[in-house]
Amino acid sequence: MAKHVWIRKKGECYFLSVLNMEKKVIEAIGISKSFHDPITVKVLTDVSFAIHAGEFVSVVGKSGCGKSTLLYILSTMDTSYEGELLLDGVSMKNKKDAELARVRNEKIGFVFQFHYLLNEFNNLHNVMLPGLKYEKLTPKEVEHHAYEKLKILGIEKEALKYPNQLSGGQKQRVAIARALINDPLIIMGDEPTGNLDKKNSDVVFHIFKELAEEYQQSLLIVTHDLDFAANTQRTITMEDGRIQKGPTNNLTA
Amino acid sequence: MKINLITRISVALLTARLKQTIIAAFGVTFSITMFITLLSFMAGLNDLLDNLILNRTPHIRLYNEILPSPIQPINRSTAYPGAYHFVKHIKPKNELPEIRNSEAIIKALENDPNVRGVAPKNTVAVFYNVGAINLTGVINGIDVDAENRLFIFQDYVVEGKTQDLKNTPNSIILGIGVAKKMLVRIGDNIQITTSDGTRFPLKVVGFFQSGIEELDKVQSYATLATTQKILGKPVSYVTDIQIKLHDITLAPALARRYHTRFGTEAIDIQTANAQFETGSSVRTLISYAVGITLLIVAGFGIYNILNMMIYEKMDSIAILKATGFSGKDVNAIFITIALTIGLVGGALGLIFGLGLSALIGEIPFDTPSLPTVKTYPISYNPKFYIIGAVFSIITTYLAGYFPSKKASRVDPVDIIRGK
Ligand SMILES: Nc1ncnc2c1ncn2[C@@H]1O[C@H](COP(=O)(O)OP(=O)(O)OP(=O)(O)O)[C@@H](O)[C@H]1O
Ligand SMILES: [Mg+2]
């Protein structure tokens, strides 16, 4: 999948592995975080990495090593950390609550272990809500868009049902459609297949894969499933709040 | 579009908890209904009691007090300047409390733009002769038309017609209390005696009931001409000039002015009836206090339902925030819920309040002391409805304020981590 490009500069030749574009959609620079309740525990130490547009990256690590904590910081929901977070080249430091909400709305799609669908709305409207909030498109267009996302995930037939009328795997797919509605810069997932059986996990994995390959969607997925991780383009391994050094590119990709 | 989205989410949350929502709204409805009914009824009662006095009382009354001569002979002596004089012997002159130059005063008052109307009056102290017994009483000599116009005299004449007083010479409308004691009917003749012993026959043409029993046992009405005849006085003889103003609040100031201008005593209604003002304002205060207490209780109902809703909808709040709704949006959603409950509950409350007070206004209320009142008095003052509406919105807003604030501060990370 990675394109290999030769660049000629001052007579020297560099071999670069470039992914679609040089553009970094998200970049963490020396992010650290401690909890102070009840005693100070350092959960993240000097985490630095970047994800390029179109990359499908997985994060693995032992339970309690700080994966979720990192993801909450990257998604701008958690703002108490040291270091620098750049989203689309823009620093997220010193942004107001409403501005961060806007960033989450426009640039980040989040998929959790739990689906978090609103039972008061049907699946279509659940998918539409962040799109309506964005206000870039008219409600009619948002609806059309939502149908397309549901189609990608193969559940357009369930659009007018309510979340409690769906299976666990179907709910998770609606949640992924919701994450896609505003064509985000990056999709983040915190064990999105954690609640699913093997079959449904595979379905979700293939959806992610398809999103990455066909739609050049950047993805950052935390997982415990090593098979899952091995099938992504790159795996970041964490241990005790640090990123482990070593090769990260998965050759099988 | 954004407002629309916020309302859609609010409505979805509301309908998901329809039962509790209805109960909370019903709390507001109940309190506004009671608030409106209570105030309408109290105000109706106040108006009734006030009118009992106000309708029958001139805004300013000009009269002469029988007073001893202010300059006693001893004052003319210069022997002891600054000393206190014990010697007083010039008693009041033998004169009736006539307003001198009454015709000119009445004319001047009728041309005064502040004055709505003037009704001259005489009062004659008399004895009603009942067989061997004499009952003390007072006959008011009135200008029938002016009295009807300014003091709705006709409403208080429970039998007979006021016009008969004008058209029948030497006629009288007896106080109902007097009439009962004298066992007379309309068309009967009675005898009265004045304080100087003159006897005079009068024909009964009607009965009068003021609602104040003590008054009805004493007072009767005749025309000015009749009383002047009884007293043997000329047509200019008037002891009281009753004035109604366009604006009652000017009464004290104008009373002072007339006092100096016409050289008579002048008393304004506010001074004469201070206790009634106090009574009404205390009653009004109590109604407001009860009404507002009810609203506050309803406010706690809304506060509770919102807190419960927020507790139940933590997940929804978390995901809304995770997908880009700001704290402000979440706040707006819950304030909208609170205000919807308040507006719907309040609007129904206003309608039910109107209905209930109208219903009370239909209940028969017969009391012999209030001849003009047939049903419970209700005041349909739009002021109460405006206050009710404003208060229902304010209390629901306040009740929604803190829960909404709490919802807007929900940290999605806490909720998501908790799963
Ligand atoms: N609110 C908190 N207060 C104190 N410590 C916390 C808090 N939240 C998380 N931690 C600690 O931070 C560390 C990292 O937690 P985190 O949820 O990021 O782990 P994780 O890698 O996602 O684990 P898992 O794979 O089990 O989900 C843990 O040791 C946890 O105990
Ligand atoms: Mg985790």
Side-chain angles (χ1 to χ4, degrees):
Chain A
M1 160 75 204
K3 291 175 191 149
H4 296 184
V5 182
W6 287 93
I7 290 181
R8 194 178 293 275
K9 193 182 168 196
K10 283 187 188 162
E12 287 176 279
C13 292
Y14 295 90
F15 175 75
L16 289 176
S17 171
V18 203
L19 293 145
N20 294 345
M21 280 175 284
E22 265 308 301
K23 201 174 110 181
K24 292 171 181 167
V25 293
I26 193 163
E27 185 169 18
I29 305 166
I31 286 184
S32 299
K33 177 173 174 77
S34 303
F35 285 109
H36 303 285
D37 184 27
I39 45 157
T40 301
V41 187
K42 195 151 196 195
V43 179
L44 294 176
T45 314
D46 197 24
V47 173
S48 301
F49 70 96
I51 293 171
H52 297 267
E55 249 189 321
F56 184 7
V57 182
S58 55
V59 181
V60 296
K62 283 207 203 80
S63 182
C65 69
K67 305 180 297 291
S68 297
T69 308
L70 176 64
L71 220 53
Y72 298 144
I73 291 170
L74 297 180
S75 69
T76 78
M77 286 194 282
D78 187 348
T79 50
S80 61
Y81 57 88
E82 289 114 60
E84 186 71 80
L85 170 65
L86 301 179
L87 256 162
D88 211 9
V90 181
S91 168
M92 291 296 121
K93 276 260 147 149
N94 306 320
K95 277 202 185 275
K96 288 197 212 91
D97 173 74
E99 292 170 320
L100 291 176
R102 186 121 209 107
V103 168
R104 285 198 292 279
N105 183 238
E106 294 171 11
K107 308 216 155 144
I108 300 170
F110 215 119
V111 186
F112 305 94
Q113 192 169 346
F114 182 71
H115 55 77
Y116 288 108
L117 297 174
L118 305 184
N119 283 321
E120 292 83 15
F121 291 94
N122 67 24
N123 297 317
L124 179 68
H125 286 139
N126 263 291
V127 175
M128 284 169 70
L129 275 179
L132 294 173
K133 166 71 191 161
Y134 194 1
E135 291 185 304
K136 202 175 87 175
L137 304 173
T138 65
K140 204 94 221 118
E141 291 168 324
V142 172
E143 185 177 331
H144 180 71
H145 227 67
Y147 259 114
E148 300 217 310
K149 302 297 178 195
L150 287 170
K151 218 170 273 167
I152 293 172
L153 292 149
I155 41 163
E156 74 273 20
K157 281 205 279 305
E158 322 294 338
L160 300 178
K161 283 190 185 168
Y162 282 78
N164 53 15
Q165 296 169 310
L166 298 188
S167 74
Q170 288 173 321
K171 279 185 219 170
Q172 199 61 323
R173 278 188 269 168
V174 176
I176 295 169
R178 178 179 61 193
L180 288 169
I181 187 71
N182 288 338
D183 297 320
L185 211 55
I186 183 161
I187 295 236
M188 298 187 195
D190 192 358
E191 302 180 37
T193 58
N195 273 344
L196 304 178
D197 59 15
K198 180 76 186 132
K199 201 178 127 246
N200 273 309
S201 293
D202 286 346
V203 170
V204 169
F205 176 79
H206 283 293
I207 287 163
F208 284 149
K209 191 105 178 150
E210 186 188 331
L211 287 172
E213 284 170 5
E214 275 179 39
Y215 300 91
Q216 279 73 48
Q217 176 69 58
S218 328
L219 294 137
L220 177 64
I221 309 292
V222 169
T223 182
H224 275 137
D225 184 341
L226 292 179
D227 285 346
F228 183 112
N231 281 311
T232 61
Q233 291 165 10
R234 180 152 70 102
T235 302
I236 295 171
T237 311
M238 287 185 68
E239 202 175 317
D240 280 344
R242 290 170 202 273
I243 291 181
Q244 269 194 340
K245 297 281 181 292
T248 56
N249 273 5
N250 298 319
L251 299 174
T252 50
Chain B
M1 194 152 103
K2 174 127 168 228
I3 303 258
N4 193 10
L5 179 60
I6 299 283
T7 354
R8 261 177 72 182
I9 297 173
S10 309
V11 169
L13 292 179
L14 266 176
T15 43
R17 276 252 155 249
L18 200 58
K19 233 194 219 158
Q20 275 92 333
T21 308
I22 288 171
I23 290 169
F26 182 75
V28 180
T29 304
F30 179 76
S31 59
I32 293 285
T33 304
M34 286 333 236
F35 179 81
I36 295 289
T37 311
L38 204 68
L39 278 171
S40 303
F41 187 44
M42 276 293 183
L45 217 57
N46 274 344
D47 289 351
L48 177 86
L49 293 173
D50 288 352
N51 286 343
L52 209 61
I53 301 303
L54 289 180
N55 286 346
R56 308 287 305 140
T57 315
H59 296 163
I60 300 175
R61 189 167 73 92
L62 305 183
Y63 62 103
N64 273 337
E65 202 91 74
I66 297 181
L67 289 169
S69 171
I71 301 167
Q72 294 282 334
I74 192 81
N75 291 86
R76 298 183 192 277
S77 162
T78 50
Y80 300 100
Y84 185 80
H85 300 305
F86 288 95
V87 184
K88 285 190 171 134
H89 70 282
I90 301 280
K91 300 289 186 252
K93 272 189 281 182
N94 180 17
E95 61 170 9
L96 285 162
E98 173 179 8
I99 295 178
R100 276 185 221 94
N101 211 7
S102 61
E103 280 163 329
I105 294 176
I106 291 169
K107 196 163 245 160
L109 285 171
E110 276 168 348
N111 290 328
D112 190 323
N114 290 315
V115 173
R116 198 176 92 212
V118 185
K121 196 172 110 177
N122 284 332
T123 46
V124 190
V126 296
F127 297 105
Y128 303 108
N129 307 140
V130 194
I133 301 171
N134 289 328
L135 299 171
T136 54
V138 173
I139 298 180
N140 295 303
I142 54 167
D143 173 341
V144 175
D145 293 328
E147 205 76 7
N148 277 348
R149 186 164 56 86
L150 299 177
F151 301 105
I152 48 169
F153 179 58
Q154 68 276 23
D155 276 9
Y156 294 85
V157 175
V158 288
E159 259 179 79
K161 284 203 286 291
T162 55
Q163 289 312 310
D164 292 342
L165 198 62
K166 216 167 83 176
N167 299 334
T168 316
N170 300 338
S171 57
I172 186 167
I173 291 181
L174 276 178
I176 192 105
V178 187
K180 270 189 193 135
K181 286 189 191 172
M182 296 176 81
L183 292 171
V184 291
R185 279 174 304 182
I186 288 177
D188 288 356
N189 283 306
I190 60 159
Q191 296 278 338
I192 56 119
T193 315
T194 63
S195 57
D196 56 12
T198 324
R199 280 174 81 90
F200 206 92
L202 288 168
K203 189 182 175 77
V204 178
V205 294
F207 298 134
F208 165 86
Q209 188 174 31
S210 68
I212 301 165
E213 206 173 326
E214 287 305 312
L215 221 64
D216 297 335
K217 275 191 213 163
V218 178
Q219 283 198 348
S220 296
Y221 288 86
T223 57
L224 273 171
T226 309
T227 50
Q228 284 155 356
K229 219 186 295 174
I230 292 170
L231 291 165
K233 294 285 177 184
V235 288
S236 65
Y237 179 83
V238 164
T239 59
D240 287 80
I241 296 174
Q242 310 174 96
I243 304 164
K244 279 250 168 160
L245 301 173
H246 291 293
D247 180 3
I248 191 171
T249 56
L250 296 175
L254 284 173
R256 276 193 297 279
R257 210 159 87 197
Y258 295 153
H259 170 65
T260 48
R261 183 165 164 205
F262 302 127
T264 65
E265 299 298 318
I267 188 160
D268 57 273
I269 189 166
Q270 283 86 345
T271 313
N273 294 288
Q275 75 278 15
F276 285 99
E277 290 263 324
T278 325
S280 334
S281 62
V282 167
R283 275 191 295 273
T284 310
L285 194 71
I286 291 171
S287 334
Y288 274 100
V290 171
I292 287 166
T293 309
L294 286 170
L295 265 177
I296 290 170
V297 172
F300 276 106
I302 295 177
Y303 177 85
N304 267 345
I305 168 108
L306 279 180
N307 263 334
M308 200 160 74
M309 214 178 248
I310 287 162
Y311 187 75
E312 278 177 1
K313 294 294 163 199
M314 278 297 182
D315 283 1
S316 305
I317 297 169
I319 194 62
L320 286 175
K321 287 190 127 184
T323 56
F325 287 79
S326 62
K328 233 191 218 158
D329 295 330
V330 173
N331 193 66
I333 288 169
F334 284 91
I335 286 283
T336 306
I337 291 175
L339 286 181
T340 307
I341 295 174
L343 281 176
V344 173
L348 284 177
L350 293 181
I351 294 166
F352 289 166
L354 179 67
L356 187 57
S357 42
L359 212 65
I360 290 174
E362 290 299 310
I363 299 174
F365 176 59
D366 265 319
T367 160
S369 61
L370 299 169
T372 54
V373 176
K374 299 277 174 274
T375 55
Y376 278 105
I378 292 290
S379 159
Y380 295 98
N381 192 339
K383 196 173 89 182
F384 305 143
Y385 294 81
I386 293 166
I387 292 174
V390 169
F391 265 99
S392 70
I393 291 168
I394 290 176
T395 33
T396 47
Y397 180 80
L398 288 181
Y401 182 83
F402 294 102
S404 305
K405 198 112 204 147
K406 188 168 123 191
S408 75
R409 291 219 193 92
V410 165
D411 184 352
V413 174
D414 284 347
I415 309 303
I416 290 159
R417 205 184 266 289
K419 274 280 162 183

